[in-house]
Amino acid sequence: MTYFLVTFVFMAFVIAIMAIGVIFGRRAIKGSCGGAANNANCVCVEKCDKRKKLEAHLNQG
């Protein structure tokens, strides 16, 4: 039970620190391809299926 409580408190602390960083104006948490606001600037070497579909949709017009 002690390990569970220590782990829970640690994870809650990490989540709280991330939330405080977002609240005080740091950049939003985003994925490796730039997140939803950065559609054109993917730096991934191999694109996932979701990214391929998005680019096909954008290229269609």
Side-chain angles (χ1 to χ4, degrees):
M1 184 68 173
T2 303
Y3 290 117
F4 172 76
L5 290 176
V6 170
T7 303
F8 180 79
V9 169
F10 177 74
M11 292 303 292
F13 177 73
V14 169
I15 291 170
I17 294 297
M18 288 190 303
I20 290 170
V22 171
I23 289 170
F24 284 111
R26 294 201 175 207
R27 295 176 59 177
I29 300 170
K30 58 186 178 180
S32 61
C33 282
N38 203 0
N39 288 332
N41 297 329
C42 185
V43 294
C44 299
V45 176
E46 188 173 324
K47 297 178 182 175
C48 62
D49 293 334
K50 184 177 178 182
R51 186 67 186 190
K52 289 176 186 175
K53 287 178 185 176
L54 175 65
E55 288 183 355
H57 178 71
L58 291 174
N59 288 335
Q60 272 184 331

